Amino acid sequence: MDLPSVAMLEILSRLSIKSIFRCKTVCKLWYRLLTSDPLFVNMYHTRLSNFPSILLLINGSVQLLVELKADDSHPLHRAIVLSPEFHLPPLEHMSLIGSCNGFICLLNNYYTKNHSVYINNPLLGEYFKVKLPEWERNVCHVAYGFCFRKAFGQYKILRLVIRKFRWDLPKVAELEVYTVGVDKKWRNVGEVPCPDHLRESFDNVNVNGVVHWLENCTSIYSFNIGTEEVKPLPTPPGLKTASWYLTLAELGNCLCLSDNSHSQYVDIWRMKEYGVAESWTKYCILKDSIQLDIRNDRFDLGKW
């Protein structure tokens, strides 16, 4: 306790997530440092890559946080159970919209017009509810995305609004943006192509300050977080797989696409040079090398 607070923060910010949860209960001083001191948050986020983590969903709800370490062959043994009492908003059936920079965006009661969106820091157990626009009669579907603009420290929530059409499925959606802590209301930034599969969240994969989603096997679209412009990106050459088997992801700050349409292997496409069609490189993973009970699942790459 005689150490300067800066020295204590230097030590605490190097701990694993599970140890930080425990330290919050040691004394009031440590609790205050871990939950209220902005220096700790800055230090921890700087070192976040030292403890890459994944969020696990059970029956569609966020349940576990797993830290990944190179020397640990059984990371699930150290899984942290995320509970409404300590880490999440006090609600049931919270589905995941996205995660970035240590924060997660959650959706509650999606299949009702009165659904709600929360921004949550499970490390501190803090959250707040995002004010949504009033539901309009001609809206038939909404989907959400979550992203972070590193240069300005801004978090943005994206909202795709799909309106009813009399005869045909809509080809476009309206894109609305809400900058956390800046905007007082949602801003409409124009029309964009609809994601191929209409779910509560779209493939909001963040690479180089740009969010990406898959329209179909021949179209990837990008949303620049800074300029708020939407542009198309080239897909892997010769790709004909049905989009249901495809998943966009980020790996090593590169845009990746997994193809799980084959019975014996999974193709991982990686865009080594961003925006360059010729840089797509394919890696093949034999399914015999994948754990049996998840061998036929859709594969997602990335970290919290």
Side-chain angles (χ1 to χ4, degrees), residues 118-280:
Y118 292 83
I119 303 296
N120 172 232
N121 183 340
L123 183 67
L124 303 182
E126 297 177 345
Y127 64 90
F128 72 91
K129 185 177 180 180
V130 178
K131 186 177 181 180
L132 299 177
E134 290 187 11
W135 191 272
E136 300 175 59
R137 286 188 176 183
N138 64 340
V139 172
C140 64
H141 187 86
V142 293
Y144 293 92
F146 183 52
C147 54
F148 177 65
R149 189 184 182 190
K150 187 175 181 180
F152 289 84
Q154 292 178 341
Y155 294 87
K156 294 188 178 184
I157 305 171
L158 311 182
R159 185 175 186 257
L160 285 180
V161 181
I162 302 168
R163 302 187 183 276
K164 296 176 183 177
F165 283 73
R166 183 168 295 179
W167 304 114
D168 199 3
L169 291 174
K171 302 287 185 186
V172 296
E174 295 174 13
L175 180 60
E176 298 177 344
V177 178
Y178 180 83
T179 304
V180 177
V182 176
D183 291 336
K184 293 184 178 180
K185 62 181 181 178
W186 291 76
R187 294 177 288 107
N188 190 315
V189 296
E191 292 186 339
V192 298
C194 284
D196 201 45
H197 294 288
L198 301 180
R199 301 186 295 269
E200 63 267 31
S201 62
F202 52 98
D203 292 320
N204 49 338
V205 178
N206 194 336
V207 179
N208 294 329
V210 180
V211 175
H212 305 79
W213 68 91
L214 192 67
E215 183 194 12
N216 52 54
C217 65
T218 59
S219 303
I220 296 175
Y221 284 88
S222 64
F223 171 79
N224 189 300
I225 301 171
T227 64
E228 298 188 348
E229 294 178 325
V230 177
K231 294 181 179 179
L233 272 181
T235 54
L239 186 66
K240 300 296 182 182
T241 303
S243 57
W244 169 251
Y245 297 103
L246 302 175
T247 304
L248 274 180
E250 177 269 337
L251 187 63
N253 202 36
C254 289
L255 185 65
C256 295
L257 184 67
S258 67
D259 178 355
N260 192 33
S261 62
H262 308 288
S263 60
Q264 296 182 354
Y265 57 90
V266 179
D267 285 334
I268 305 293
W269 290 90
R270 186 178 188 185
M271 183 181 268
K272 289 188 173 181
E273 189 174 347
Y274 184 77
V276 179
E278 294 76 17
S279 72
W280 279 110

